[in-house]
Amino acid sequence: MKNSRRSFIKIAGLAALGIGSKPVLNAFAMAEEHGAGAKAATHVGEKALAAKQWGMVIDTRKLEKESDFAPIIAACHDAHNVPNMKEKRHEIKWIWQEDYKHVFAEMESKYLNERVEKLPLLVLCNHCENPSCVRACPTQATFKRADGIVMMDFHRCIGCRFCMAACPYGSRSFNFQDPRPFIDSKKFNPEFPTRMRGVVEKCNFCSERLAVGKLPACVEASKGAIVFGDLEDPASDVRKMLKSNYTIRRKPALGTSPAVYYIV
Amino acid sequence: MLELAVKGSKKYWLLVLALAGVAGIGFLVYLKQFSFGLGITGLSRDVTWGFYIAQFTFLVGVAAGGVMVVLPYYLHDYKKFGKITILGEFLAVAAISMCLMFIIADLGQPMRALNVLLYPTPRSMLFWDMIVLNGYLFLNIFVGWIVLEAERNGVAPPKWVKPFIFLSIPWAFGIHTVTAWLYCGLPGRGFWLTAILAPRFLASAFASGPAFLILLCFLIRKFTKFDPGKEAIQTVAKIVTYALIANVFFFVCEVFVAMYSNIPEHLTHLQYLFFGIHGHGVLVPWMWLAMILLVLAIVLLVNPNTRANETTLGIACAMLFAGAWIDKGLGLIAGGFVPNPFHQVNEYVPTPMEAMITIGVWAAGFLVLTILYKIAVGVKEEVTV
Amino acid sequence: MNDKKWIIAGLLLFTVVVLSPVLWNAFKTPTPPEPVLSAKAKAAGYCVLAKDQMKAGHMQILDVWRDAVVRQGERVYKSTNGKEFNMSLSSGENSCIGCHTSKVEFCDKCHNYTSVRPYCWDCHNAPKEAM
């Protein structure tokens, strides 16, 4: 009696699983029939750039005037259809400009060197090696890729904003409403999706450009002020920069280990 | 027993209708939020959680507070509480229902809420919160219902329900602990980053939950034939007193550490809440009001005469509830987000629409509470007759 | 009991209400939609899978693709006949929309008929249609 009930449940469970996955299996089974043995497959593009932990060095000595910042920010925001929200509290930013004293607030110094006191800095997602946002996300909608990029899966995000509370750098933005009406139609990039209301977004280290062998848009627009590369590769450009310059990272005491370094 | 909910006086139906009406209005406003997005709220890029999550946090406390009548009865065989355990359990059910509604109201993509089950992620505290909240909801409905039904039939509750009751006791501590861990495990939010947060949450829960229960007992005695018993109420009042003092003590510990260490990361949030910084301080009057309410409640509760007097006890409980609500429902969340990670001050004020949705959820919760209490009191009246 | 007639009447009414959508359409002759293949798609003659497989399973394919692209960084699909595709709904010549150039004539035809409202286009950019 007991046995037969158990086996019935087992069979019923398997059957339910079978019904659920049948269309997928069918599709692949038919695909194999068609190609006479050749298998359909997905893979990384041939030109794609690879790394173990992408990272960045921002040389603030080369970024001083408004005219140094504007094209970098525009390059990113135009490439990713970042909307220009009217209300400040709904603002969406992937990379932006902030004062030294706010970016490095906990390194507060009463008497600062004149240049640093007024120093504008570029800030973006730090793509931390131990990201607290990834720990917080209940659906793995934000996750760390094998190449170190802290990525957002907009399809999966439920908009709980736990990651925004968990990020100690204020790098994340939330779509408080449909962003499309706020994207400049003249600068619209049809190649990159927009977002919908109710999801969190942030810098993605231009994963879509890395996939086709291009460097991030901000790096390209920075005229050498931003160096990008693999932090785990001692021969990479970033590592060379880090070896020959004194750099700092934001809030190192929190143990997140940011992948964005600053030469001040 | 459900039939008890549909047989009631005119007054009962008026209350049900009024609550359903307010909840309905809240729901209509929610439909606007559903189609437009969370932009209708006062939330911002810097203060990403507000009223909804704050109510959720406070109500988890109210739900956990119910255990303060369950525990003495089942673990210490304190007979006086036998009559009111069901009130604690059903209060927990209503409070958790509100918590779940507030979480849904707070989601940017509520249609995807089940992604939490589809992609279970044990490293996220929110995953555990989902488990403990739903588990606690189930335990309280289940245990409350079975025990009440047994009482109605004049028999002892079945033995197999005991393990569920014993499980529900640590579970109550669990729900508020996990809720505190949502906040206190986040690096870079100095206001929440403190080990005392979970104990403080529990203390405030064990004060505000039972205090609310006392007020409900007064109402029940006034409007029905069921008397929860003076002695039982007095014992709950003692529990409330100890818990409230513990809550204030934990808070003082928190203030001492922040002030004496003088570490800006921890200090600035308290400064913002109680004095305002850079000329911003919408919450300052509220926070002081909360402190005054809590201290006055302690005075009234500690003094044996004012505690024994049911008028002053009622006043003390109302003050405590209001004070704890301001502390957790207003200060805790906004205070953690201001100043922001760049040490800039962007304040949060809820919008009227947000307030209407919030009131709607409270009304829906009270509707659940009214119906459940109608059933419970109906059984009690039957039994005493 | 003498409520019999009320119960039966109620049940009948309930049945009619529940079946109303079916009854409403029972005597109509539906005209199934004909998605229009673009010239480019016609010339190619083969999608990432064969036509009947795409008809039945394009949603599963797209679901697998979006995970592969976003989560594994795999953006190239090699079909069984050796052709490579850009695993993207709407970016570039080699994406879905690069070949099926009209969303209105292709996607919407069947989706509208079957009352399916995929939210792909809330984010992905539909091609500009000549209206």
Side-chain angles (χ1 to χ4, degrees), chain B residues 42-359:
Chain B
L43 295 171
S44 65
R45 196 179 184 281
D46 286 334
V47 185
T48 50
W49 283 337
F51 229 33
Y52 301 147
I53 290 297
Q55 307 304 312
F56 149 77
T57 308
F58 176 71
L59 286 164
V60 173
V62 174
V67 80
M68 283 292 108
V69 291
V70 175
L71 188 150
Y73 179 65
Y74 286 106
L75 292 191
H76 300 280
D77 202 24
Y78 182 72
K79 294 274 191 313
K80 291 279 179 312
F81 278 179
K83 281 166 104 178
I84 55 170
T85 49
I86 187 69
L87 300 183
E89 283 155 352
F90 279 178
L91 174 61
V93 172
I96 295 280
S97 316
M98 287 190 252
C99 292
L100 296 176
M101 284 187 266
F102 275 121
I103 290 184
I104 297 295
D106 188 66
L107 290 183
Q109 281 291 333
M111 298 303 278
R112 296 183 192 161
L114 291 180
N115 274 1
V116 179
L117 294 175
L118 200 56
Y119 309 104
T121 311
R123 69 176 170 221
S124 169
M125 279 302 123
L126 216 55
F127 170 78
W128 292 105
D129 215 37
M130 174 208 62
I131 290 178
V132 290
L133 287 182
N134 285 299
Y136 195 61
L137 180 65
F138 162 77
L139 282 173
N140 277 289
I141 294 177
F142 186 69
V143 170
W145 198 264
I146 295 216
V147 173
L148 191 65
E149 198 151 49
E151 189 178 342
R152 191 186 197 194
N153 297 334
V155 295
K159 275 212 182 75
W160 52 260
V161 80
K162 270 281 162 74
F164 290 98
I165 294 171
F166 292 141
L167 181 63
S168 80
I169 291 168
W171 205 287
F173 289 77
I175 59 169
H176 222 20
T177 304
V178 174
T179 306
W181 286 355
L182 289 178
Y183 305 107
C184 68
L186 305 177
R189 304 280 177 190
F191 187 54
W192 300 331
L193 191 71
T194 163
I196 202 90
L197 199 69
R200 184 152 95 85
F201 270 25
L202 285 170
S204 120
F206 296 154
S208 53
F212 191 57
L213 203 59
I214 290 178
L215 294 174
L216 289 171
C217 284
F218 288 160
L219 283 178
I220 287 173
R221 198 167 53 191
K222 195 170 174 204
F223 290 104
T224 74
K225 290 189 209 82
F226 170 56
D227 181 7
K230 192 170 167 76
E231 212 175 312
I233 291 178
Q234 282 301 315
T235 311
V236 179
K238 280 189 199 114
I239 293 172
V240 170
T241 311
Y242 281 115
L244 176 59
I245 291 170
N247 178 30
V248 172
F249 169 66
F250 289 159
F251 182 63
V252 170
C253 291
E254 182 59 44
V255 172
F256 170 78
V257 169
M259 302 270 279
Y260 198 81
S261 72
N262 200 34
I263 297 171
E265 283 243 14
H266 297 267
L267 190 60
T268 45
H269 299 279
L270 281 172
Q271 276 174 333
Y272 165 69
L273 286 176
F274 286 95
F275 305 103
I277 44 174
H278 310 319
H280 298 280
V282 280
L283 288 172
V284 173
W286 289 95
M287 292 315 288
W288 285 109
L289 176 64
M291 289 303 121
I292 292 167
L293 288 171
L294 292 180
V295 170
L296 285 179
I298 289 185
V299 172
L300 289 178
L301 285 168
V302 169
N303 186 333
N305 294 325
T306 42
R307 190 175 64 235
N309 179 326
E310 293 201 336
T311 315
T312 38
L313 175 62
I315 294 171
C317 286
M319 287 208 249
L320 189 170
F321 195 72
W325 180 80
I326 297 171
D327 175 30
K328 256 185 190 166
L330 283 176
L332 182 92
I333 306 299
F337 281 115
V338 183
N340 75 2
F342 291 94
H343 287 229
Q344 297 152 335
V345 177
N346 290 311
E347 289 193 290
Y348 161 76
V349 180
T351 59
M353 282 217 225
E354 197 176 359
M356 279 164 85
I357 295 174
T358 304
I359 293 169

Side-chain angles (χ1 to χ4, degrees), chain A residues 89 98 102 135-136 138 140 154 156-162 164-165 168 170 173 176-177 196-197 250-251, chain B residues 34-36 38-39 41-45 48-49 106 108-109 112 115 119 121 123-124 182 189 341-342 344:
Chain A
R89 66 198 174 100
E98 202 76 64
H102 287 125
R135 224 155 41 227
Q140 294 152 49
F154 303 118
R156 194 181 283 190
C157 176
I158 60 172
C160 70
R161 310 186 298 297
F162 204 1
M164 297 179 80
S173 308
F176 283 96
Q177 53 180 301
M196 69 192 294
R197 71 180 191 291
R250 290 178 66 193
K251 306 189 182 186
Chain B
F34 186 81
S35 61
F36 183 84
L38 280 159
T41 67
L43 295 171
S44 65
R45 196 179 184 281
T48 50
W49 283 337
D106 188 66
Q109 281 291 333
R112 296 183 192 161
N115 274 1
Y119 309 104
T121 311
R123 69 176 170 221
S124 169
L182 289 178
R189 304 280 177 190
F342 291 94
Q344 297 152 335

Side-chain angles (χ1 to χ4, degrees), chain C residues 3 31-32 41 44-45 58 60 62 64 75 89 94:
Chain C
D3 293 341
T31 40
H58 62 280
Q60 279 92 0
L62 288 173
V64 170
R75 288 172 180 259
L89 193 58
N94 208 9

Side-chain angles (χ1 to χ4, degrees), chain A:
Chain A
M1 197 31 206
K2 213 173 186 179
N3 240 342
S4 69
R5 184 165 64 196
R6 187 176 296 166
S7 57
F8 169 73
I9 293 171
K10 261 188 203 163
I11 291 167
L14 282 176
L17 198 72
I19 292 164
S21 56
K22 194 166 172 286
V24 186
L25 292 178
N26 271 357
F28 283 102
M30 286 196 284
E32 276 181 51
E33 278 163 35
H34 252 267
K39 248 182 131 178
T42 59
H43 59 87
V44 176
E46 275 158 24
K47 283 192 227 151
L49 302 176
K52 284 195 178 121
Q53 171 66 55
W54 288 116
M56 193 176 257
V57 177
I58 298 177
D59 190 344
T60 63
R61 295 166 304 189
K62 292 182 183 160
L63 297 168
E64 280 171 344
K65 301 180 296 295
E66 196 64 32
S67 56
D68 297 329
F69 287 87
I72 297 176
I73 296 168
C76 167
H77 284 192
D78 293 347
H80 300 111
N81 294 323
V82 175
N84 189 11
M85 305 306 283
K86 286 211 183 70
E87 279 188 68
K88 190 182 173 272
R89 66 198 174 100
H90 294 167
E91 209 173 16
I92 292 179
K93 349 183 224 195
W94 284 30
I95 183 168
W96 69 103
Q97 186 188 323
E98 202 76 64
D99 291 344
Y100 173 87
K101 64 171 190 232
H102 287 125
V103 177
F104 290 100
E106 70 293 336
M107 292 170 65
E108 194 261 351
S109 176
K110 204 167 171 186
Y111 305 108
L112 265 175
N113 151 323
E114 214 169 81
R115 185 185 80 90
V116 175
E117 196 176 12
K118 291 174 197 136
L119 186 67
L121 292 173
L122 271 180
V123 282
L124 67 160
C125 171
N126 281 300
H127 295 275
C128 302
E129 289 178 41
N130 306 308
S132 46
C133 54
V134 169
R135 224 155 41 227
C137 179
T139 63
Q140 294 152 49
T142 195
F143 59 99
K144 196 156 173 69
R145 292 204 323 186
D147 61 359
I149 294 182
V150 175
M151 194 71 173
M152 269 305 298
D153 187 341
F154 303 118
H155 306 113
R156 194 181 283 190
C157 176
I158 60 172
C160 70
R161 310 186 298 297
F162 204 1
C163 56
M164 297 179 80
C167 175
Y169 305 105
S171 296
R172 293 172 165 267
S173 308
F174 181 71
N175 287 280
F176 283 96
Q177 53 180 301
D178 180 11
R180 279 194 170 168
F182 302 93
I183 302 170
D184 188 346
S185 58
K186 271 169 263 153
K187 292 177 185 161
F188 185 73
N189 174 17
E191 301 284 301
F192 198 81
T194 66
R195 268 68 62 195
M196 69 192 294
R197 71 180 191 291
V199 296
V200 173
E201 65 178 89
K202 65 167 197 74
C203 155
N204 65 349
F205 258 4
C206 281
S207 66
E208 82 285 358
R209 289 172 61 93
L210 296 173
V212 291
K214 292 187 203 162
L215 286 175
C218 59
V219 178
E220 214 169 65
S222 73
K223 296 177 195 149
I226 308 177
V227 178
F228 188 81
D230 187 357
L231 287 173
E232 302 267 306
D233 174 9
S236 68
D237 289 348
V238 266
R239 284 291 292 274
K240 281 181 206 150
M241 283 291 277
L242 290 170
K243 211 170 185 179
S244 54
N245 293 280
Y246 174 71
T247 54
I248 52 174
R249 295 189 285 178
R250 290 178 66 193
K251 306 189 182 186
L254 300 182
T256 53
S257 192
V260 175
Y261 292 73
Y262 293 87
I263 301 174
V264 174

